[in-house]
Amino acid sequence: MEIVGRGFIARNLQSIAHRHPDVVAFAAGVPNSTVKDDDEFGREAALLYEVVRRCLRQGRRLVFFSTASVAMYGGEGSAGTEDGPIFPGGAYGRHNLALETALARSGVDYLVLRVSNLIGPHQRDNGLLPVLVGGIRAGTVTVYRGATRDLIDIADMTRILDGLLDLRLSREVVNVATGHAVPVERIVAHIESRLGMVADRRVVDGPVPHAAASVSIAKLRGFMPEVDRLGFGPRYYARVLDKYLPLYSAPLYSGPEPLQHADHLSGRRPA
């Protein structure tokens, strides 16, 4: 597998790269849903188009990582399914949907994964877990009212991708999520309990789109029934947090001031 990119997803794909020599994994996209800069969107699109053309010339499969987050499925009337109605709630979701459309019309052999909120090693400082840990340790967490997140271990996402590639799926879009959206306040409370500290918490109205439909993983289960062995369920999120919390809980967070991350949360003030 050729991996385009050097960030969070790219680094975690290394474990399966040797198994798929005919695949190009595009893991160099806009980093999170807070981005609204047309130049950043344009750079990602230009790079993706270049990779698509190369895959067409070389006869290789392309994996594209899209989003199953509220940015894609958060608009009123969205069904949470790959083939149902979608009304993205912001620029990031619209951008990803546009790139999916470009792939569908390009003629390339592709697999699109619409991935929910990934947790794991090598996250950026503005990733979900580093930001929440930093906010709690700093003493203040601001949570948008009604916000939920479908957390999935990046190791499980990688296993799923490995299995889908073994199936030789072509020109498919598949949600990769657990199907269980967890209130962000519950996530914060769990981290607080593990850190042994309680932060001041403000619950505010914010730029959260219409309450999203649950992300459906029926299509994923149809392709890979064994996904049920990964233990997705109401308490899965807690196991994932417990697994990776030690990676991010040692130092006091010292990342960029806005403390923003892809899920419209902030450790100190709303994104």
Side-chain angles (χ1 to χ4, degrees), residues 4-23:
V4 179
R6 294 177 294 179
F8 172 43
I9 292 177
R11 294 177 71 177
N12 281 279
L13 292 179
Q14 295 292 339
S15 63
I16 63 168
H18 65 286
R19 290 182 33 80
H20 305 284
D22 65 327
V23 171

Side-chain angles (χ1 to χ4, degrees), residues 34 125-144 184 188 191-192 198-204 252-271:
T34 65
D125 286 344
N126 61 357
L128 173 65
L129 190 52
V131 166
L132 289 183
V133 169
I136 291 167
R137 289 174 62 87
T140 304
V141 178
T142 299
V143 178
Y144 286 114
V184 172
V188 172
I191 297 172
E192 287 175 329
V198 177
D200 292 332
R201 196 176 311 174
R202 292 192 309 130
V203 180
V204 300
L252 186 65
Y253 181 77
S254 60
E257 170 53 29
L259 286 177
Q260 296 176 341
H261 61 69
D263 304 295
H264 305 293
L265 271 175
S266 170
R268 296 177 189 166
R269 62 182 178 84

Side-chain angles (χ1 to χ4, degrees), residues 1-268:
M1 177 187 291
E2 175 188 345
I3 302 170
V4 179
R6 294 177 294 179
F8 172 43
I9 292 177
R11 294 177 71 177
N12 281 279
L13 292 179
Q14 295 292 339
S15 63
I16 63 168
H18 65 286
R19 290 182 33 80
H20 305 284
D22 65 327
V23 171
V24 177
F26 188 85
V30 171
N32 62 58
S33 64
T34 65
V35 172
K36 298 179 182 178
D37 187 341
D38 286 343
D39 288 341
E40 288 200 47
F41 290 142
R43 281 190 290 271
E44 178 184 358
L47 180 57
L48 178 62
Y49 300 159
E50 178 185 325
V51 172
V52 167
R53 294 184 189 106
R54 183 157 56 81
C55 287
L56 286 168
R57 290 195 303 269
Q58 298 173 351
R60 302 180 75 182
R61 285 190 289 169
L62 175 62
V63 174
F64 177 70
F65 295 93
S66 185
T67 180
S69 70
V70 68
M72 179 68 79
Y73 289 130
E76 183 175 1
S78 295
T81 63
E82 298 88 343
D83 303 318
I86 300 176
F87 302 96
Y92 181 73
R94 292 191 294 269
H95 169 69
N96 274 275
L97 187 57
L99 294 184
E100 290 183 20
T101 301
L103 288 177
R105 296 182 178 182
S106 70
V108 76
D109 181 0
Y110 69 86
L111 173 64
V112 171
L113 299 191
R114 287 186 185 157
V115 183
S116 64
N117 303 104
L118 293 167
I119 301 292
H122 312 303
Q123 282 196 278
R124 298 171 182 264
D125 286 344
N126 61 357
L128 173 65
L129 190 52
V131 166
L132 289 183
V133 169
I136 291 167
R137 289 174 62 87
T140 304
V141 178
T142 299
V143 178
Y144 286 114
R145 197 179 317 277
T148 62
R149 298 293 174 260
D150 185 328
L151 306 185
I152 185 169
D153 188 338
I154 197 167
D156 288 337
M157 185 280 287
T158 302
R159 293 184 186 98
I160 289 168
L161 173 59
D162 193 30
L164 293 176
L165 289 174
D166 281 344
L167 293 174
R168 307 295 300 185
L169 298 181
S170 180
R171 304 181 66 79
E172 289 283 0
V173 178
V174 183
N175 287 336
V176 177
T178 72
H180 294 272
V182 182
V184 172
E185 290 188 71
R186 190 181 303 165
I187 295 171
V188 172
H190 185 85
I191 297 172
E192 287 175 329
S193 72
R194 293 299 186 258
L195 295 180
M197 56 183 67
V198 177
D200 292 332
R201 196 176 311 174
R202 292 192 309 130
V203 180
V204 300
D205 294 322
V208 178
H210 187 273
S214 296
V215 177
S216 170
I217 59 171
K219 188 174 184 180
L220 173 62
R221 283 194 169 107
F223 287 133
M224 290 182 63
E226 61 270 28
V227 77
D228 286 332
R229 296 202 294 268
L230 296 177
F232 294 160
R235 293 295 298 170
Y236 171 88
Y237 82 96
R239 296 196 301 273
V240 174
L241 291 173
D242 290 347
K243 177 179 177 181
Y244 292 113
L245 189 56
L247 296 181
Y248 299 104
S249 60
L252 186 65
Y253 181 77
S254 60
E257 170 53 29
L259 286 177
Q260 296 176 341
H261 61 69
D263 304 295
H264 305 293
L265 271 175
S266 170
R268 296 177 189 166

